[in-house]
Amino acid sequence: MPLGVIVNSLSIAVGGIIGAFAGNKLTDDFKEKINMIFGCCSMAMGISSIVLMENMPAVVFSVIIGTIIGLCIHLGELINKAGGLMRKAVSRFLSGGSGISEEEFNATLLTVIVLFCASGTGIYGSLAAGMSGDHSILFAKSILDLFTALIFACTLGAVVSAIAVPQFIIFFILFSLGGVIIPHTTPAMINDFKACGGFLMLATGFRMIKVKMFPTADMLPAMVLVMPVSLFWASVVMPAVASLV
């Protein structure tokens, strides 16, 4: 049973609903400062994952090529459009954002979608839960996501709760595939996968504190590339280089 996936999605749904109704009771200064703290936490979690990297060239290559692919297929724009549809759908039943501009709304919503649906922690946690039944990673993520959803919903409104739906679908698919994928990986591949997710979380943190708006959505294809590239680097490139020395 995907207990961790269910708990994680519920934490976003509940946090989003609470934040949507509590938003008017929190000052803009409070929301801005607490958002900076969440950005700092995201960056710290990203750095802690990056240090696990074992094959740096493979990870760097995956991040660069993956981002190029994302930019070429305009992945960020597609996610923005999906976010707009989510906002319209939810606004029929629940109140929307707190009057921020459309541009700021879309930029913030994109950050939240990536943060909830594409974090290395969530993706790896779903795979690990599917393989071993250990849901502890997703449980820990749920605690952070509950309060993160609450804070973002103060600005974006109840649309944040709707993100629980695509997140559940993505994580459930990964949970189901866990038994197929994990046995064919190595510890180095897993660490490089976490490191790649760390890059995304670091970039997401910079977006959250509004230092630099990294194209985090366009970086997502890197998560698909990194494990096979890591395997190719360790099993083909490194032995070839060693034979020449």
Side-chain angles (χ1 to χ4, degrees):
M1 180 178 179
L3 184 60
V5 176
I6 295 173
V7 171
N8 199 180
S9 297
L10 285 176
S11 71
I12 294 174
V14 172
I17 292 174
I18 295 174
F21 289 102
N24 295 331
K25 299 180 181 180
L26 301 178
T27 65
D28 291 339
D29 182 65
F30 176 86
K31 289 185 284 189
E32 180 179 356
K33 289 181 178 178
I34 200 68
N35 188 56
M36 291 177 64
I37 297 301
F38 284 128
C40 181
C41 291
S42 178
M43 295 168 70
M45 292 172 66
I47 293 172
S48 68
S49 296
I50 292 173
V51 298
L52 300 173
M53 182 166 49
E54 296 195 27
N55 297 296
M56 183 182 295
V59 177
V60 171
F61 176 85
S62 299
V63 172
I64 294 174
I65 299 301
T67 303
I68 291 174
I69 294 173
L71 291 170
C72 288
I73 64 176
H74 305 290
L75 184 58
E77 295 179 12
L78 293 174
I79 293 179
N80 264 330
K81 291 180 180 179
L85 294 175
M86 288 169 56
R87 182 187 190 187
K88 292 178 181 178
V90 175
S91 63
R92 297 177 182 178
F93 305 99
L94 298 171
S95 58
S98 57
I100 62 176
S101 67
E102 189 75 17
E103 180 179 358
E104 184 179 358
F105 178 91
N106 287 335
T108 306
L109 181 61
L110 175 59
T111 297
V112 178
I113 291 173
V114 173
L115 182 65
F116 287 149
C117 300
S119 72
T121 304
I123 293 173
Y124 174 69
S126 300
L127 289 170
M131 175 60 186
S132 63
D134 181 9
H135 302 276
S136 59
I137 297 174
L138 290 175
F139 287 157
K141 183 177 182 295
S142 299
I143 297 173
L144 179 61
D145 285 355
L146 173 66
F147 293 100
T148 304
L150 191 156
I151 294 299
F152 274 114
C154 291
T155 301
L156 300 180
V159 68
V160 173
S161 296
I163 299 175
V165 176
Q167 191 224 44
F168 176 82
I169 294 173
I170 293 171
F171 285 8
F172 179 75
I173 292 173
L174 292 171
F175 174 85
S176 301
L177 292 175
V180 177
I181 296 175
I182 295 294
H184 300 287
T185 64
T186 65
M189 290 169 64
I190 293 297
N191 285 336
D192 288 341
F193 178 81
K194 290 181 179 180
C196 186
F199 277 96
L200 267 73
M201 295 185 72
L202 185 61
T204 298
F206 277 112
R207 287 182 65 98
M208 292 174 70
I209 63 176
K210 300 180 181 180
V211 171
K212 193 70 175 179
M213 300 304 286
F214 281 86
T216 46
D218 295 309
M219 296 170 67
L220 289 176
M223 299 296 292
V224 179
L225 295 177
V226 65
M227 284 204 284
V229 172
S230 175
L231 177 62
F232 179 79
W233 180 266
S235 60
V236 178
V237 177
M238 291 301 293
V241 171
S243 66
L244 297 175
V245 178

